[in-house]
Amino acid sequence: DAKTTQPTSMDCAEGRAANLPCNHSTISGNEYVYWYRQIHSQGPQYIIHGLKNNETNEMASLIITEDRKSSTLILPHATLRDTAVYYCIVRVNSGNTPLVFGKGTRLSVIA
Amino acid sequence: DSGVTQTPKHLITATGQRVTLRCSPRSGDLSVYWYQQSLDQGLQFLIQYYNGEERAKGNILERFSAQQFPDLHSELNLSSLELGDSALYFCASSVEGGEPYNEQFFGPGTRLTVL
């Protein structure tokens, strides 16, 4: 079972920042927070991951609270192409382990 | 384009039949994962292979089986198909190694429709 809780859906205006929250209150010390997204029925796409420090890449920023029980994915300037289901996943980073997907958040970016 | 290829894109078949889905991982990736996405169950992990050997098993039915060949491509075999097996089947691959190589790259999927 997924160890994360996310809102079912969110809307965001085009050009504004999209902030997607995720609760993972039972996260273990060796588990990372991963974010993937799935646009329509395409294969999921990796966005970003982190352990305890905030992370940023060309796609997004990841803010993890100090107690690591929750995190927020930030898309700084959302576009219509960012409309997708966003999945927050906790996972150990040692070796290659399967992803356990929850229901995710359906983000709709509105013009 | 993730570099992972899956064939066929669409498959329509009848109940009781058997089908084979094929996946070619990204060049150099040794791990292959199969996932099933249905409307009621969401995205579920089925099985993982690493360099030809089964590594992890998820919610895979006994009617389903998989293998990874020496050239690292993988096949998922689904037999005695039921209406409920209609779903999107995704293959993903990843490099074996530490950070930052634990990203999984997903293929475009095979849409299976069982009539």
Side-chain angles (χ1 to χ4, degrees):
Chain A
D1 287 350
K3 299 175 65 173
T4 61
T5 304
Q6 299 177 250
T8 302
S9 64
M10 294 181 64
D11 291 339
C12 177
E14 189 178 21
R16 305 299 293 266
N19 296 285
L20 292 92
C22 178
N23 286 321
H24 31 79
S25 58
T26 61
I27 192 169
S28 302
N30 64 344
E31 287 181 317
Y32 284 65
V33 179
Y34 278 76
W35 284 83
Y36 279 74
R37 75 179 182 184
Q38 185 176 24
I39 297 172
H40 193 41
S41 294
Q42 298 177 22
Q45 176 191 25
Y46 166 83
I47 301 172
I48 198 167
H49 74 285
L51 181 62
K52 52 185 176 182
N53 297 321
N54 297 337
E55 302 287 344
T56 295
N57 63 19
E58 65 279 2
M59 288 183 70
S61 294
L62 174 60
I63 309 297
I64 302 175
T65 57
E66 196 167 337
D67 64 6
R68 303 210 320 124
K69 293 186 176 181
S70 66
S71 60
T72 301
L73 178 74
I74 301 172
L75 308 179
H77 307 286
T79 70
L80 298 178
R81 287 176 295 180
D82 292 321
T83 293
V85 177
Y86 288 77
Y87 297 97
C88 170
I89 299 165
V90 297
R91 172 173 178 248
V92 294
N93 211 43
S94 57
N96 288 277
T97 56
L99 297 167
V100 179
F101 291 88
K103 297 189 186 306
T105 295
R106 182 172 298 277
L107 175 69
S108 298
V109 180
I110 302 165
Chain B
D1 184 359
S2 67
V4 178
T5 60
Q6 290 187 248
T7 56
K9 276 186 132 175
H10 302 276
L11 201 47
I12 301 175
T13 188
T15 54
Q17 295 298 304
R18 183 179 191 273
V19 297
T20 298
L21 313 184
R22 183 187 168 104
C23 167
S24 293
R26 291 187 325 150
S27 177
D29 285 0
L30 299 179
S31 274
V32 169
Y33 308 78
W34 286 97
Y35 294 85
Q36 178 194 56
Q37 186 171 33
S38 60
L39 280 175
D40 54 344
Q41 296 291 328
L43 259 166
Q44 288 204 1
F45 165 68
L46 295 178
I47 197 164
Q48 176 193 2
Y49 276 81
Y50 170 71
N51 203 20
E53 299 291 326
E54 182 184 303
R55 171 163 279 189
K57 232 173 185 176
N59 298 322
I60 188 166
L61 300 171
E62 284 193 15
R63 301 184 284 109
F64 296 1
S65 64
Q67 55 184 325
Q68 186 179 26
F69 294 86
D71 67 352
L72 300 178
H73 91 270
S74 178
E75 293 181 356
L76 179 67
N77 300 297
L78 316 176
S79 62
S80 303
L81 285 167
E82 302 175 359
L83 295 177
D85 297 328
S86 295
L88 264 170
Y89 291 83
F90 290 106
C91 167
S93 72
S94 66
V95 170
E96 181 76 3
E99 173 119 28
Y101 296 112
N102 286 299
E103 175 183 350
Q104 289 186 19
F105 294 86
F106 283 77
T110 293
R111 183 175 293 278
L112 174 66
T113 303
V114 182
L115 301 175

